[in-house]
Amino acid sequence: MQKLAISGKTASRLSASIIASTTFTTLVIDGAEYMNSSWLCLILGFIISVPIILLCIKIKHACIETNRTACILFSILFAYKAAAVTRILVNSVSYSNLENVPPLLLSALMLIVCLYIILKNDSGIGNAIKTLCVPGLLLAAIIVISNLGYMNYRWLTPIISINTSELITGSIAAAGNISAAVLIHIVSNRNQLQARTVFIGTFTGFALGLLLCVYSEIMTPMQNQETINRLRSIEMILANGRTSLGVQLPITLLWFGGYITAMASCSFCSAIYIQKAFVSLNNNIAGCISVLVSFLFSNFALAESGILSKVSLCSYPVIVIILIILVIRGRRKTVEVQA
Amino acid sequence: MKYKRSIALLCIVIIIVLFTGCSRTDYAENQAYAVILGIDIDEEDNIIITAKYPKLSGSSGGASGGGSNDSSAYSTTGASGDSFQQALNNLRVITPREINLSALTLIIISEKAVDSGRLYHILEQLSANYRMYSSAYIAICEGEAGKFIEKQEPQIGSRLSEGLKALIENAERLGSIPDSRMADVSYGLDSFYSDPIIMLCSLKEDSKSGNIAPPSDNIATDGDTLYYGSCIIKDGRIAVKFDEHETVIANMLKGDVQQFSYTNENDSAFISVDSKPSIKLDIKNDIPVIKIKLNLSVMVTSGTADANTFGKMIKSDAVSVINECRSTGAEPFGFADRAAGRFASLEKWESYDWHTQFKQSEFDIEVSVTEIF
C-alpha cells in the first residue's frame, strides 16, 4: 500500500499556502486589535520563526516517526488550522449572497473536497496548488493594478498601532502560524529536502501573507471604533467601498481559490501526521480522521476567532519545545548508533 | 478510460449547475433595485427613508435602458421609523417588491439629519445591510431629501443611474464637487486621520445660495436638481460648507483635480495642475508649520489678468479655504495622514490632538505658475 507522502517541492508549496492564509486570517480577519500594523507583526513574526525553520532542517526523519506524541500533536494542530480556514470560508460564502446555505452542510462539502485531494496523495495536493499559482498571480496583479489609485501608504502609520504589547502579541501569533506550516517539511521526502527548499517555501508564504496584509491595510484607514466584526473586516477587504465591481470577480476567485487550497493543504498535513503516528492506518482512514477532526473543530465553535488567536499565540512556544526535544533525542540516537 | 473520466466530470459539472435551483432564487421581477435612497429626519426625530426604484412596467423605460425620460418608469416609496433599520424595515413592508441595495447609485441625506448627529449611525446601519453597494455616491441635501428624490428624473435616452453617474463624474472632473463615496465617508467619519468631505445638493427652489438661475458653469444641474459645493463633517456634524469655487480649491489642495476653469469677475483662465501638491509638515515646534507647493499651468482665456496674477488669486483663495477650515478644526486635505507618520503609536498620535494643533498651525503656500498658450 502506498502511504501518504510528500515531495520537498510540494511541501514547499504547501507551507507557502498555509503561511499566507493562516497569518492573514489571524492578523487581519480575526485580528482587529492589530489594526493597520499587522504587516509589521508579520515581519517580526517571520524573524522570530527563523530558528524554528533551522530546527526543522536539523531534525532527522526517523526521529519524528518514533515520537508518536509529537505526531499526534502536530496532526491536531493542522486539523485545527483546517477548521479555522473552513470557518472563514463558510463566513465568506454567507457574505457572498448565499446566506441561506447551512454552515454545517457547507463545511462538510468543503471537507469532502479536501478528503478527495488527500486521497490523491502528493500529486493531488501538488496539482491543486500548481493550478492556482499562475492564475493566482495574474489575478493578484489585476487587483493591485486596478486599485493603485485608491491606495494610501500613509494609512500604514502610526507604525505601532495601539502599543508595543499588541505588536509583540501579533508577532508571536504570526510566528506560531509560520512555524506550524514549516512542520510539514519534517515529514517530506528527506532525500529531496534541502534548506533552500524550506526557505523558499517559507519566504514565499511570508511574502504572500505580507502582500495580503499590506493590501488590506493600505486601502482602508484605521478605524476608531472599538470592535470591528468579522463581516466588516471581510467587507473592508473584499468590497472596500472603492473597489470597482469589475475587480470583485478576481478578488472573489483568489479569495475562495486560496482558502480552499489552504484548507486542503492543512487537511493533508494533518492526515500525513496521523499516518506517521499510527503507521498501520491506510490513506483512507487517515484522511477521514483528519477531515472529521477538522469538521468537529469548525462546527463546535472551537475554531472561532477568540480561541484561534489564543491557539496561535500558544503554538509558537509549544512547537519550539517539541522541536528542541526532538533534536536532542535525534542527537542521542545518533551518538548511540555511532557508539 | 479517458472518455469515461471526461463524461463523469461533465456530469458533475451539470449536477453542480442544477444545484443552483435548490436555493431561493431572486428573480429580477421580485426585486426593487433602489437607484436613489433619501434619508430625512422629521420633527419627532424619526428617520424617513425614501427610495426610488424602476417600475416593472416602465414601458421601454429609463429603467431598462431603452431610452425614455418617462418619469412613470420609476416609483418612489417612503417610510419612517425610530431608527434607520426600523425605517428600512417599514419601507420593505410597504414596497411591493424586495428592496435591493446592490445597484444603489446615490444616497441623499438631508442637512437636518446630519445636524442631528446621527450620520455615523445611519451609515453604519446602512452598510450592515445585505448586498449594500458601498461605492454609492453620497450627498447632503440642503432641504428635504425625499422631495429631492422625487424631482430627480432620468434624462432622455439614459437610465437614471447612468445619467446620475455621468453628471456626478463630470462635476468631479471639473472639481466642483468632491469624490464622496459612502464607504469613504463612513471610514472617514471613524478614522484617525482627516475629516470626510461630502458633496452638497439641493433643489433649485430650495437652494440657500440664492436663486441660481441660470446655474453657473461649475454647477452640475439635472433639471430641477443641483449638485454643487461640499461640506466637511467633523464629529458627525457639518463643520464647514464650501461653495463650488471653494470646493475646486479644496480639491486642488487635496490633489483630486487635474484641470479646472477659474473665473474671477471678468478674468478667466484654464488651470492645469502639473503635479500633486507638495506638502511638508514641520511638527517639531509647538505650532505645526505646513508648507504647500503648487505647480500650475495657466492658460488665460479672457480678461486682462496675466498668469502670475491668476497664481496670486489662487494662492489667496487657498489661504482663505484653509483658514475657514482652521477656524473650526476640520481638516479634509489629508495633512493628518502625513502628520500621523511622525508618531510611533496611536496613543501618541491621539494625545497630540491633531484638530487642536491644526487650528493654531501656520501655513506657507507657494504657487509656481507656468503660462501656456
Side-chain angles (χ1 to χ4, degrees), chain B residues 115 231-235 237-241 324-325 327-330:
Chain B
D115 284 338
C231 62
I232 303 159
I233 309 292
K234 185 172 174 277
D235 302 326
R237 287 185 167 81
I238 296 172
V240 182
K241 269 190 190 179
E324 207 173 330
C325 290
S327 63
T328 59

Side-chain angles (χ1 to χ4, degrees), chain B residues 34-214:
Chain B
V35 179
I36 320 179
L37 206 66
I39 299 153
D40 282 301
I41 204 155
D42 67 10
E43 300 303 323
E44 289 158 4
D45 223 25
N46 289 320
I47 286 180
I48 306 163
I49 304 179
T50 316
K52 192 159 194 158
Y53 53 89
K55 276 184 187 174
L56 286 175
S57 58
S59 57
S60 59
S64 59
S68 165
N69 66 338
D70 182 6
S71 62
S72 64
Y74 289 87
S75 287
T76 309
T77 316
S80 68
D82 296 343
S83 65
F84 179 83
Q85 205 54 49
Q86 181 65 46
L88 194 63
N89 289 344
N90 292 343
L91 186 71
R92 285 187 204 281
V93 172
I94 63 163
T95 309
R97 289 173 279 147
E98 191 183 330
I99 290 275
N100 190 316
L101 301 175
S102 63
L104 196 62
T105 306
L106 180 63
I107 302 159
I108 306 280
I109 304 176
S110 71
E111 193 177 350
K112 202 175 159 191
V114 177
D115 284 338
S116 70
R118 292 165 81 173
L119 180 63
Y120 183 71
H121 160 81
I122 290 169
L123 293 183
E124 194 186 25
Q125 294 210 350
L126 191 59
S127 63
N129 269 282
Y130 180 55
R131 292 185 191 171
M132 171 67 208
Y133 179 53
S134 50
S135 282
Y137 290 104
I138 184 165
I140 291 176
C141 179
E142 294 185 301
E144 281 181 40
K147 260 190 185 176
F148 182 92
I149 287 175
E150 277 179 24
K151 294 273 184 184
Q152 183 70 63
E153 298 295 349
Q155 294 292 306
I156 297 171
S158 74
R159 284 176 283 169
L160 179 58
S161 55
E162 291 305 312
L164 274 172
K165 269 183 207 163
L167 177 121
I168 292 170
E169 278 168 16
N170 186 48
E172 266 178 22
R173 192 176 50 80
L174 293 169
S176 62
I177 57 169
D179 181 13
S180 52
R181 309 286 184 128
M182 191 209 137
D184 274 335
V185 171
S186 137
Y187 296 155
L189 280 173
D190 192 37
S191 86
F192 288 99
Y193 309 102
S194 301
D195 299 302
I197 182 164
I198 308 178
M199 71 171 113
L200 282 170
C201 65
S202 76
L203 286 172
K204 268 185 189 167
E205 59 199 51
D206 284 346
S207 178
K208 286 179 185 171
S209 341
N211 291 323
I212 309 167

Side-chain angles (χ1 to χ4, degrees), chain B residues 277-295:
Chain B
S278 150
I279 297 164
K280 283 178 183 167
L281 273 103
D282 183 4
I283 53 167
K284 284 174 195 159
N285 304 318
D286 292 342
I287 297 169
V289 180
I290 303 172
K291 288 180 183 173
I292 304 164
K293 194 179 175 192
L294 299 164
N295 290 313

Side-chain angles (χ1 to χ4, degrees), chain A residues 1-4 121 275 278-286:
Chain A
M1 181 189 70
Q2 197 195 352
K3 292 271 176 185
L4 289 174
N121 215 336
Q275 215 171 43
F278 306 99
V279 188
S280 57
L281 290 181
N282 65 25
N283 295 358
N284 297 356
I285 296 171

